Amino acid sequence: MPTPGEHKTVQARILEYAEAIGWTFVSREEAEQRRGFDPVVPPADRAKNRSLFFDDLLDAKLREFNPRYAEAEGALLGAFRHLHTDIYGNREFVEHLRNRGKFFDHEEKRERDLMLIDYDDPARNVYEVTEEWAFHNGHYGTREDVVFLINGIPVLVIECKNANKDEAIALGVDQIRRYHRETPELFVSQQLFTATDAIGFSYGVSWNTVRRNIFNWKDGEVGKLEAKAKSFCAIPQVLAFLKDYIVFAEKDEELNKYILRQHQTGAVEAAVGRALDPSRTRGLIWHTQGSGKTFTMIKAAERLFRAPGADKPTVLLMIDRNELEDQMLKNLAALGLGNLEHAGSIARLNQLLRDDYRGIIVTMIHKFRDMPADLNTRSNIYVLIDEAHRTTGGDLGNFLMAGLPNATFIGFTGTPVDKTVYGKGTFKTFGCEDDQGYLHKYSIADSIEDGTTLPLYYQLAPNEMLVPHETLDKEFLSLAEAEGVADIEELNKILERAVNLKNFLKGKERIQHVAQFVAAHYRENVEPLGYKAFLVGVDREACAHYKRALDQFLPPEYSEVVYTGSNNDSKLLKEFHLDPKRERQIRKSFGKLDQMPKILIVTEKLLTGFDAPVLYAMYLDKPMRDHTLLQAIARVNRPFENEAQEMVKPHGFVLDFVGIFDKLEKALAFDSDEINAIVKDLKLLKVLFKNKMESKAPDYLGLIERNFNDKDVDTLIEHFRDPERRKEFFKEYKEIEMLYEIISPDAFLRPFIADYGTLSAIYQVVRKAYTRTVMVDREFQAKTNHLVQEQVGSYGVGGLGEIVAIDGNTIELIKNKRGGDGTKVINLIKSIERLAEEGSDDPYLIAMAERARAVQESFESRQTSTAEALAELLREVEGNETRKKEQAEKSFDGLTYFVYRSLLDAKIQNAEAVSRKIRHAFTEFPNWKRSENALRELRKKVTFALFAETEDLDRVTAMVDELFTLLEKADRI
């Protein structure tokens, strides 16, 4: 029974749901007519450089919304066509979508805002949805499955995939990436994309298609396409995305585009709602470290500033670090806010508030020190405070609230509020108006479940390196003043007094041992995974000593020290001072996989706010607790994926040289549920590996009965013909492989090595057999690869994937070859594909490879037996030999022969002369693949050559289309 195609299962349903929620369906034919397609032109040419808008509707709405707009028809579309086809052009287009474009009012002789979408009265807009949105820019053609338009402007694209396909959503996202590469013109106006297979529903923004920025849309009804499609594509939701929740920001001097996720938009709505509620003036938002809290604050500030109900407010953004201040100002400026001030001093802040400034003020929390009472008594002052748990320490909170007695205060925190007296103070200050203490919450567990952050695992260093229990307890863990410590500077003051603790940590011999251990662990455990690490020393002097020690065991370029220098520093400390430019370069290079350094040695700087997803391991040699510990270890919880190298960071890892994690309940004064979500013992991964090897692996290992001879290989090919069975095995194997990579090297693995090696060999065979063409990614992770090289070579499984020469001897060779028919089928298909790849200008070979793929699909779906598939492929080989003889007799090249055979099959007169004429046309236009004009002229000549022999234009058009379609496929083989 045939399986339903992507249109039936997903695309038609998306269109049906869209109509149900207010989008008007426009048929493909009508859409093409409105975009200016010419029905007389051959189908393959109709999409070439056609409009990407519904021009008439856009022009009509433009004049309806802007009565004084008097430019000629098409003037705006002309301007849009001149926008850069990149992220910068897209950012400019977003400004237009937000009605911040400009036009000149000739009557009043002034500029006015140009409205394209009415956000205040959404009923005035026209909402349409269509399918099969085709475009060809002269070089490449693409066809998007479903496109949503507002007032004739395409803003959202959905790629639909069949759930039966392996990695269906990943294939959809790959298509979106290809569209960006080949037809970037589409993504000047299109802002959002989704890929769905009826089960999953992934979304992201154009110009940012890296996997970590593509998210799963969550709806109350899990797994229901209807609920997800209707909530994501709801008109108010799409308008909110366009107007508010797409942001552009620069990172490392590169422009990036982001979309706020559901937890972020929920918090923004909650913060704005609370601020505009006249009966309430407090709120506490906990969004766990790494979940995008900065953008949430920025968007809340912008929304409050622009809110009509706020009546020209003052919005104070209070942050706690210099580096975040610069980042915040840059990002706010990128939003195009005119009223933006930086209060860099206490005097400047007081002056702005005294002068009743209206707009956004960015300042640091300590600028409130000694602020006079009742400095500004207005009620439409909204104070958004980052790391709110810190403001309750000392008198800062008192100064702030006394100076602005009628303001609304919204606290943001990246760590849960602790159970200490400080934590209770935070709830009392900010959470007093909500039953649970939080206005909005996105916990560590929520974040891990969504993939926003990764779980953390810890391991204790060998006993002899750990701080003695009594010293750690007496000088740190049991100190009342260390409870709820919220700031690393406070922590450093406490550690200054912990004399015995510091002496132990900084002992010369111990530093040597720890450095040697770190170097070996990094080389054996972390480097093979491809990631980077932090070494956290107790103070700056310890960092300097660690750098010198580490250089004895690793090349010096592997590590750099980053700390804040002072003029009064000792000679040792000055040795590692960095100027700002060099520090910026180190930070930037550390964030890149292929650049040094691989290890940063730090003590305070970079332990908060620094974001480097390639950071996997933290070697912790500094006593920490509560918020400071949580903030520090959160540096390693950022997701990272590199598709080119098949890297997916599994979790973050902390190797504890202090012994903090031995006393977790003392080190983290949070609810036990939160502690369990925060960090787990690495031993749990060993248990998981053992369970999988004992429960999942035996079913696969049982398929090997003869030490991997050709009969075993054939058994595997037969067993894994079913794509679902393969998908399940690949998933299980990849989970086991990742656990092995994390745990290895470890004596614990010894009893499993032989079976794991066999399992890896099974994976290698199945993958080689059923993966389309040669994959560019790496087959195994580094440590497994080493094991496979050592162990699996002895199995002799090399017969599979062997490329056979396709010539007159092939049939005899295949018949006499050892091994089962399944292996022969796979090898023949791959050999035909390779032949087509090498002769990619020969349409006959390309068509032959297409037919071989069809045989493989039929073989895999068991519609064809193994014997039938083999016979079909051997017939192809035989046909190719006949073709080669005839081609040689006529002295034709591949292209000429293919045209000749096609003409004979179509019963066209003078086939030989016409095919030579067509060959000559191709010689005339050698750069037809790169030049639109050359392609147009070449098609014209081919068409005329055929038309001279037959007056059936439809027949000629179909033949020309088939030829050029095949030649286009050659580029993708």
Side-chain angles (χ1 to χ4, degrees), residues 57-122:
L57 175 61
L58 177 52
D59 194 71
K61 283 291 169 187
L62 181 63
R63 294 176 198 284
E64 178 192 333
F65 293 158
N66 308 276
R68 291 183 176 277
Y69 182 82
E71 302 298 324
E73 192 175 326
L76 182 65
L77 286 163
F80 286 165
R81 274 192 286 273
H82 283 98
L83 292 176
H84 289 290
T85 54
D86 57 18
I87 190 171
Y88 293 95
N90 180 265
R91 178 172 64 175
E92 213 171 316
F93 202 94
V94 168
E95 287 298 293
H96 282 282
L97 289 176
R98 290 176 175 166
N99 301 331
R100 293 184 204 141
K102 302 291 178 193
F103 74 94
F104 190 72
D105 182 339
H106 292 282
E107 275 185 47
E108 295 193 3
K109 302 279 187 267
R110 68 184 180 92
E111 266 195 338
R112 285 181 175 273
D113 288 337
L114 183 72
M115 183 194 282
L116 294 183
I117 296 175
D118 193 333
Y119 294 100
D120 297 328
D121 185 1

Side-chain angles (χ1 to χ4, degrees), residues 265-299:
T265 60
V268 171
E269 300 292 344
V272 172
R274 175 58 50 87
L276 299 179
D277 181 346
S279 63
R280 297 186 175 197
T281 59
R282 299 282 189 276
L284 180 62
I285 292 172
W286 167 34
H287 278 199
T288 195
Q289 296 277 339
S291 60
K293 182 162 51 76
T294 303
F295 280 143
T296 306
M297 286 184 72
I298 285 171
K299 266 296 161 188

Side-chain angles (χ1 to χ4, degrees), residues 885-892 897 900 912 916:
K885 282 177 190 157
E886 191 177 355
Q887 186 177 316
E889 283 166 12
K890 293 197 174 290
S891 303
F892 282 164
Y897 181 80
Y900 170 68
E912 195 165 329
R916 289 189 192 279

Side-chain angles (χ1 to χ4, degrees), residues 466-518:
L466 297 177
V467 177
H469 283 308
E470 57 281 6
T471 308
L472 184 62
D473 205 57
K474 184 179 168 188
E475 295 197 13
F476 187 65
L477 289 177
S478 294
L479 289 184
E481 64 264 36
E483 279 192 12
V485 63
D487 189 293
I488 203 145
E489 288 172 19
E490 281 179 62
L491 173 76
N492 289 341
K493 286 173 191 166
I494 291 160
L495 290 174
E496 281 303 318
R497 298 194 292 275
V499 179
N500 296 322
L501 179 56
K502 276 187 106 169
N503 285 344
F504 178 84
L505 290 169
K506 289 164 71 174
K508 279 185 182 177
E509 206 173 304
R510 180 180 179 277
I511 279 182
Q512 281 292 114
H513 282 154
V514 171
Q516 188 172 4
F517 191 91
V518 164

